């Protein structure tokens, strides 16, 4: 696992030109591409240098790893060549790293000046991410082109990437001007992403570069260069690392038709899988996924810890998935009205401001507002100031579940009213059995997405997966002043969804009673009173409706996503060497953050099943691996609280 700084602060680049009119970096004193043209350089050095397009032809997928995204010309050139090739691979996966990303407007200007393909440039600009550190998965060209854009230091990002490269574009400013891009650590990280089929190309023929690549395991040779540069390098990895195997029969059982199950079902269906989605209840989204609405926003921390990074990644990917669903005509009931996360005291206000100062994120992603501004945004008196998430909002979970299933179309077969009593594997095929022992359905792969009950079906009593009772109060809008944004901090309250606002939620571990309790309504209202004083005064003495559900929780508050271990203790192993049960996967442990995490976790599990590049940093994926609890001390919920 790479060693990284606790907090990464990005320094975006700004578009400046050399006297010759070429994009230029004052910080490194070098140009972004040759004077003869960015696109022509990309075609000669990086495409031809890696044997493209011929090497991707007839393949299911092809993965390109690039060391410097810059202005994106190499990416656009590869994308255009892929589009124009009638024999191209089914999916083009492009993983690139950039320490100093440009704004969308600067990219657009540079693309226009370089005569880059306008349609492709416009689509990239439309999906350009917020400039925050970490991995941003961008789905383009109907999901057939995937750009994983890592924003941060190149060595750490490459060392934390979960991918296997077919081709490497080794690009960047001159080794003399930016040696970090050409270090031995970068070359070792590239080797770790390579196998015997991996090729490499770069415009640099520096002796130090040649020696560094050879030492890392690449065989390199000089070939004809581009324009006025006489030579360039081509290479191939010599190491013995084998290529992973993909699943032949793409059929999976997914047990549980809530947020988790519908997310992974849709992501697998998008990859051509056939899914049998099994739900114990007579309808979908009957657990916590059936709540009226929930808050949708990230959770920052001063040290940008694991929980914060996973939450941010889930939030950003979730925004993309919502957009994809809506573009495909599958509407989700949600609103990006913004979220106020109010402090509980003056001391916490100061801590929230310290978090913002430490992270240095763009204000259009995270800002701090005082009590007066919070009051203006909410339309009601706020007890304190707090964080403001302009891109946050609320989502009705059931509508998201239904949209995901509809998006999968005929590839998803939904079976409701089918409780699974147990699983049985025979001759490499998993059978979901009913109480009388009859088979409900069978497939080579099975995904447990059935909340806390996943531990029973996995027969994994060692897994610290528990259920927490949560009661949401439904407040009649007729008795409340209008609320313009989601407010949270001590619980949460949404604007009116129909005739009610959702106020929640209680949290009682290992309490399986689903009946409404007046004392938990009172607790919810008390928390609301501390956030928005006086808002609920008109509800005194009135009967309040609500809903109770059980949320699956893990002791470290992170999801559980991955292959199930075949053993119950990890002594003598690590996460990569631990034996796994063939074809048995789990996605659960979302707690109260199912809306934020479900889409990213569905994509992560689908990538695992298909042996594809991971949609986020490997360290974050490992932090969500269910096998993590077999190693070291397992924290308790009380300790985390």
């Amino acid at each position: 696992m790479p060693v990284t700084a606790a907090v990464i602060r990005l320094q975006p680049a700004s578009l400046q030109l050399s006297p010759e009119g070429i994009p230029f970096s004052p910080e490194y004193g070098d140009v972004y591409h040759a004077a003869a043209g960015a696109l022509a350089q990309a075609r000669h050095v990086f495409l031809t240098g890696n044997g493209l397009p011929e090497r991707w032809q007839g393949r299911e997928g092809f993965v390109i790893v690039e060391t410097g995204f810059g202005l994106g010309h190499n990416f656009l050139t590869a994308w255009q060549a892929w589009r124009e090739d009638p024999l191209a691979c089914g999916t083009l996966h492009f993983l690139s790293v950039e320490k100093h990303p440009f704004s969308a407007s600067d990219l657009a200007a540079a693309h226009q000046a370089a005569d880059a393909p306008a349609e492709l440039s416009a689509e990239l600009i439309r999906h350009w991410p917020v400039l925050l550190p970490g991995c941003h998965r961008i789905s383009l060209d109907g999901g057939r082109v995937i750009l994983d854009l890592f924003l941060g230091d190149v060595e750490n990002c490459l060392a934390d990437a979960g991918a296997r490269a077919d081709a490497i574009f080794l690009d960047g400013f001159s080794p003399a001007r930016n040696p970090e891009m050409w270090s031995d650590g970068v070359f070792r990280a590239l080797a770790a992403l390579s196998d015997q089929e991996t090729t490499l190309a770069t415009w640099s023929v520096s002796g130090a570069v040649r020696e560094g690549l050879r030492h890392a395991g690449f065989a390199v040779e000089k070939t004809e260069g581009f324009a006025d540069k006489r030579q360039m390098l081509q290479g191939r990895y010599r190491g013995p690392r084998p290529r992973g195997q993909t699943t032949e029969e793409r059929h999976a059982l997914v047990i549980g038709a809530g947020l988790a199950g519908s997310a992974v079902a849709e992501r697998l269906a998008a990859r051509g899988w056939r899914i049998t989605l099994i739900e114990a209840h007579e309808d979908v989204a009957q657990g916590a996924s059936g709540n009226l609405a929930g808050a949708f926003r990230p959770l920052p921390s001063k040290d940008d810890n694991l929980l914060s990074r996973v939450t941010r990644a889930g939030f950003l990917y979730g925004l993309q998935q919502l957009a994809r669903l809506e573009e495909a005509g599958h509407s989700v009931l949600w609103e990006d009205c913004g979220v106020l996360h109010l402090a509980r005291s003056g001391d916490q206000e100061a801590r929230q401001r310290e978090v913002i100062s430490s992270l240095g994120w763009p204000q259009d992603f995270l800002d701090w507002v005082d009590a007066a501004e919070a009051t203006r945004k909410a339309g009601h008196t706020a007890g304190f100031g707090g964080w403001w998430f302009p891109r946050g909002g609320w989502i009705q979970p059931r509508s998201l579940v239904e949209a995901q299933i509809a998006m999968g179309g005929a590839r998803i077969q939904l079976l409701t009213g089918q409780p699974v009593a147990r699983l049985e594997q025979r001759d490499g095929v998993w059978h979901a059995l009913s109480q009388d022992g009859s088979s409900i359905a069978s497939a080579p792969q099975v995904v447990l997405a059935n909340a806390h009950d996943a531990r029973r079906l996995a027969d994994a009593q060692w897994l610290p997966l528990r259920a927490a009772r949560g009661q949401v109060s439904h407040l009649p809008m007729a008795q409340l002043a209008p609320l313009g944004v989601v407010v949270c901090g001590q619980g949460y309250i949404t604007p009116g969804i129909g005739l009610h606002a959702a106020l929640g939620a209680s949290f009682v571990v290992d309490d399986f009673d689903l009946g409404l309790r007046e004392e938990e309504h009172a607790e919810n209202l008390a928390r609301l009173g501390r956030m928005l004083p006086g808002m609920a005064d008109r509800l005194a003495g009135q009967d309040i409706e609500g809903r109770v559900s059980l949320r699956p929780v893990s002791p470290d508050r992170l999801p559980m996503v991955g292959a199930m271990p075949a053993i119950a203790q990890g002594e003598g192993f690590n996460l990569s060497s631990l034996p796994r049960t063939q074809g048995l996967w789990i996605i659960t442990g979302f707690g109260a953050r199912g809306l934020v995490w479900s889409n990213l976790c569905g994509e992560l599990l689908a990538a695992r099943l298909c042996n594809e590049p991971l949609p986020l940093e490997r360290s974050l994926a490992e932090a969500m691996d269910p096998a993590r609890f077999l190693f070291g001390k397992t924290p308790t919920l009380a300790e985390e609280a």
Side-chain angles (χ1 to χ4, degrees):
M1 187 177 299
V3 178
T4 59
V7 176
I8 300 170
R9 295 179 68 107
L10 294 178
Q11 295 180 344
S14 61
L15 185 60
Q16 299 187 42
L17 303 179
S18 71
E20 295 76 23
I22 304 171
F24 176 81
S25 170
E27 181 175 356
Y28 295 99
D30 202 357
V31 294
Y32 278 88
H33 58 77
L39 305 181
Q41 175 180 282
R43 284 190 291 269
H44 180 89
V45 175
F46 298 110
L47 292 186
T48 302
N50 278 286
L52 301 174
E54 292 80 11
R55 288 185 57 232
W56 65 36
Q57 291 177 349
R59 297 181 52 164
E60 183 177 320
F62 194 86
V63 179
I64 296 172
V65 172
E66 180 186 48
T67 54
F69 187 80
L71 289 162
H73 291 124
N74 295 339
F75 169 65
L76 292 176
T77 302
W79 183 6
Q80 183 181 41
W82 174 87
R83 259 198 169 191
E84 294 174 349
D85 184 1
L87 301 177
C89 55
T91 302
L92 178 64
H93 209 118
F94 199 98
L95 187 159
S96 188
V97 182
E98 182 53 56
K99 187 175 184 179
H100 303 291
F102 284 94
S103 67
S105 58
D106 277 353
L107 283 180
H111 293 168
Q112 184 176 14
D115 199 25
E119 180 186 354
L120 306 189
S121 172
E123 185 172 351
L124 174 63
I125 299 305
R126 191 165 62 251
H127 292 89
W128 193 242
V130 185
L131 300 185
L132 296 167
C135 175
H136 300 260
R137 171 155 290 187
I138 304 170
S139 178
L140 303 162
D141 216 323
R144 297 179 302 157
V145 173
I146 304 296
L147 171 61
D148 282 341
L149 183 63
F150 281 74
L151 300 183
D153 172 77
V154 62
E155 182 176 338
N156 284 328
C157 287
L158 290 174
D160 210 5
R164 179 72 64 238
D166 294 299
I168 295 172
F169 292 5
L170 185 54
D171 200 7
F173 297 122
S174 164
R177 298 179 184 274
N178 186 16
E180 291 181 0
M181 289 286 291
W182 309 85
S183 69
D184 289 343
V186 168
F187 298 152
R188 286 193 299 269
L190 290 172
L193 301 177
S194 302
D195 58 32
Q196 290 179 340
E197 298 179 23
T198 304
T199 61
L200 175 147
T202 178
W203 54 266
S204 176
V205 292
S206 158
V209 170
R210 298 198 311 273
E211 182 60 28
L213 287 171
R214 287 179 181 135
H215 188 71
F218 292 92
V220 296
E221 62 178 350
K222 295 179 182 180
T223 59
E224 181 183 356
F226 172 70
D228 59 352
K229 189 163 180 55
R230 188 167 60 88
Q231 295 177 316
M232 57 172 276
L233 283 187
Q234 289 178 275
R236 180 177 290 273
Y237 186 64
R238 299 178 311 214
R241 186 182 300 275
R243 184 164 292 266
Q245 300 298 313
T246 58
T247 302
E248 293 185 3
E249 185 183 354
R250 298 196 156 198
H251 178 205
L253 308 181
V254 177
I255 300 176
L259 285 171
S262 64
V264 71
E266 189 280 323
R267 290 288 75 212
L268 286 171
R271 290 163 165 83
W273 282 59
R274 182 164 57 94
I275 305 300
T276 304
L277 183 57
I278 304 172
E279 171 56 48
H281 295 91
E282 296 296 332
D283 201 357
V284 302
Q286 294 302 294
S289 301
N291 284 345
L292 177 62
F296 180 60
R297 54 101 166 109
L299 183 66
S301 65
K302 186 176 181 180
D303 60 350
D304 202 21
N305 57 33
L306 279 172
L307 179 62
S308 296
R309 294 169 64 200
V310 173
T311 305
R312 180 170 76 252
F315 175 76
L316 292 171
Y317 186 84
L319 287 174
Q320 289 197 52
Q321 180 68 354
L322 287 167
R324 281 196 296 269
L325 292 169
E326 292 184 343
E327 288 171 3
H330 303 293
S331 61
V332 178
L333 186 58
W334 80 291
E335 184 183 9
D336 54 350
C337 57
V339 176
L340 276 172
H341 185 118
L342 298 178
R344 304 179 186 184
S345 65
D347 288 343
Q348 192 178 32
E349 283 185 333
R351 290 194 294 272
Q352 286 185 334
R353 291 195 295 270
E354 289 176 0
V355 168
I356 290 179
S357 176
S358 173
L359 298 175
W361 291 349
Q363 286 185 308
D364 64 352
F365 185 79
L366 171 64
D367 200 2
W368 192 86
V369 296
D370 60 19
E373 179 62 14
T375 296
R376 189 191 69 78
K377 290 183 180 298
H380 195 283
T381 301
F384 294 93
W387 288 325
W388 168 242
F389 301 97
R391 298 168 187 253
W394 58 266
I395 303 174
Q396 186 189 70
R398 181 186 175 93
S399 71
L400 178 55
V401 170
E402 292 174 338
Q404 303 266 36
I405 295 173
M407 185 80 159
R411 294 190 181 277
I412 298 179
Q413 177 192 19
L414 177 62
L415 303 178
T416 58
Q418 299 286 345
V420 178
R422 62 187 177 90
L423 295 173
E424 184 177 293
Q425 188 182 35
R426 300 192 297 268
D427 299 323
V429 176
W430 286 96
H431 298 263
L433 305 179
S434 63
Q435 191 63 47
D436 63 8
S438 61
S439 180
I440 299 170
S442 60
Q445 309 288 326
V446 60
V447 178
L448 301 179
N450 54 328
H452 65 278
D453 196 38
R455 185 170 73 165
R456 175 184 64 84
L457 286 183
D459 192 23
Q461 297 309 306
W462 57 268
L463 191 67
L465 178 64
R466 301 170 72 181
R469 168 192 162 92
Q471 179 169 311
V472 179
S473 304
H474 297 168
L475 306 185
M477 290 305 302
Q479 305 297 318
L480 296 175
L483 185 64
V485 302
V486 177
V487 177
C488 57
Q490 302 181 61
Y492 70 90
I493 183 170
T494 68
I497 317 299
L499 300 178
H500 294 87
L503 171 66
S506 59
F507 185 91
V508 187
V509 179
D510 295 336
D511 185 335
F512 296 89
D513 177 25
L514 295 180
L516 288 171
R517 297 172 181 168
E518 290 302 318
E519 61 267 28
E520 291 183 28
H521 279 321
E523 291 171 5
N524 288 341
L525 290 171
R527 285 192 287 267
L528 175 60
R530 291 190 289 271
M531 291 190 298
L532 301 173
M535 185 173 188
D537 289 351
R538 295 170 63 182
L539 296 175
Q542 296 190 26
D543 291 333
I544 297 176
E545 299 176 358
R547 188 176 187 275
V548 177
S549 61
L550 301 177
R551 298 163 293 185
V553 295
S554 62
D556 59 6
R557 299 186 293 166
L558 289 171
M560 302 179 185
V561 187
M564 286 298 295
I567 56 177
Q569 57 183 355
E571 186 175 353
F573 297 97
N574 56 36
L575 282 178
S576 62
S577 65
L578 187 75
R580 306 285 177 147
T581 301
Q582 181 184 6
L584 182 61
W585 308 81
I586 190 171
I587 175 170
T588 187
F590 295 165
R593 298 186 176 92
L595 289 170
V596 176
W597 282 337
S598 57
N599 288 308
L600 176 67
C601 290
E603 175 72 357
L604 171 59
L605 195 56
R608 290 280 201 200
L609 274 158
C610 297
N611 195 35
E612 294 175 353
L614 303 182
L616 75 172
E617 297 91 323
R618 182 167 47 86
S619 58
L620 299 188
E622 290 176 350
M624 293 187 279
D625 192 318
R628 67 189 185 270
F629 297 108
L630 297 179
F631 302 90
K633 178 179 179 292
T634 299
T636 67
L637 288 169
E639 288 173 333
E640 285 296 314

